[in-house]
Amino acid sequence: PGSSSFAASPKFTVMSPDEDEHEHSGEMQYPFLAHLLHQCQLLDQIQVLPIMCGALSVPQETHYGQALA
């Protein structure tokens, strides 16, 4: 599914600017991913879609896993 189908789903939300200001885990990982993808000559072929999730139940894990597969 494309990102627009995620945005249309009530099970997916977009972080508010305030939430985004407090979240920095991706910022720590993106430089490493870029370095690794560059070494593998895949930097121009792979896009990263950051997805954050909190504690999920098994049914929620199954739902999101299937939606993202």
Side-chain angles (χ1 to χ4, degrees), residues 34-63:
H35 175 75
L36 183 64
L37 293 172
H38 178 73
Q39 282 187 326
C40 297
Q41 298 178 343
L42 296 171
L43 188 59
D44 296 333
Q45 299 175 36
I46 294 179
Q47 295 180 346
V48 174
L49 173 64
I51 297 175
M52 289 180 39
C53 54
L56 300 175
S57 67
V58 172
Q60 288 173 313
E61 289 175 352
T62 301
H63 171 78

Side-chain angles (χ1 to χ4, degrees), residues 10-54:
K11 296 189 180 233
F12 289 88
T13 60
V14 175
M15 288 173 40
S16 71
D18 186 54
E19 291 169 320
D20 187 39
E21 283 292 318
H22 293 95
E23 174 49 44
H24 300 289
S25 62
E27 294 170 9
M28 300 299 292
Q29 297 172 29
Y30 300 141
F32 172 74
L33 289 171
H35 175 75
L36 183 64
L37 293 172
H38 178 73
Q39 282 187 326
C40 297
Q41 298 178 343
L42 296 171
L43 188 59
D44 296 333
Q45 299 175 36
I46 294 179
Q47 295 180 346
V48 174
L49 173 64
I51 297 175
M52 289 180 39
C53 54

